[in-house]
Amino acid sequence: MLEEPPGNRLLSDEMVANARKRLFGSWEMNWMAYNFSHDVVLPGSSGPPIGFLMYPQAETAEGQLDSLDPDNFRYEITSKEIGV
């Protein structure tokens, strides 16, 4: 509703209604299900269990970092083709 141009569409908008009918109970086909775990205890972690694995996690001697705090938690994902 918020992302479809021009944005901030109402729930009653025809595009939103059609998308809800199509997507309810199904995948958007651009997602991959890696797991469905919750309350995950990370190996070697001294912190509490992680509610779910959606973002990278990090821990220092002071404890777990907040992965949703962009000023203090940054990461980069890279990829490269490897020869087979």
Side-chain angles (χ1 to χ4, degrees):
M1 291 173 25
L2 298 175
E3 295 178 4
E4 291 296 333
N8 294 317
R9 291 179 180 268
L10 298 174
L11 187 59
S12 59
D13 185 286
E14 182 180 4
M15 180 182 278
V16 174
N18 289 337
R20 288 172 56 94
K21 285 179 190 174
R22 167 64 182 97
L23 297 175
F24 181 77
S26 67
W27 291 86
E28 290 183 42
M29 300 307 182
N30 61 343
W31 293 87
M32 289 180 63
Y34 289 103
N35 68 62
F36 52 89
S37 298
H38 55 85
D39 300 324
V40 179
V41 177
L42 298 176
S45 174
S46 61
I50 304 297
F52 52 87
L53 295 174
M54 184 170 182
Y55 301 104
Q57 301 294 319
E59 185 173 325
T60 67
E62 288 80 38
Q64 292 175 340
L65 300 178
D66 181 357
S67 62
L68 301 178
D69 179 6
D71 292 331
N72 297 303
F73 186 93
R74 295 179 186 217
Y75 57 91
E76 181 178 323
I77 299 173
T78 61
S79 66
K80 68 177 181 177
E81 185 175 345
I82 57 173
V84 179

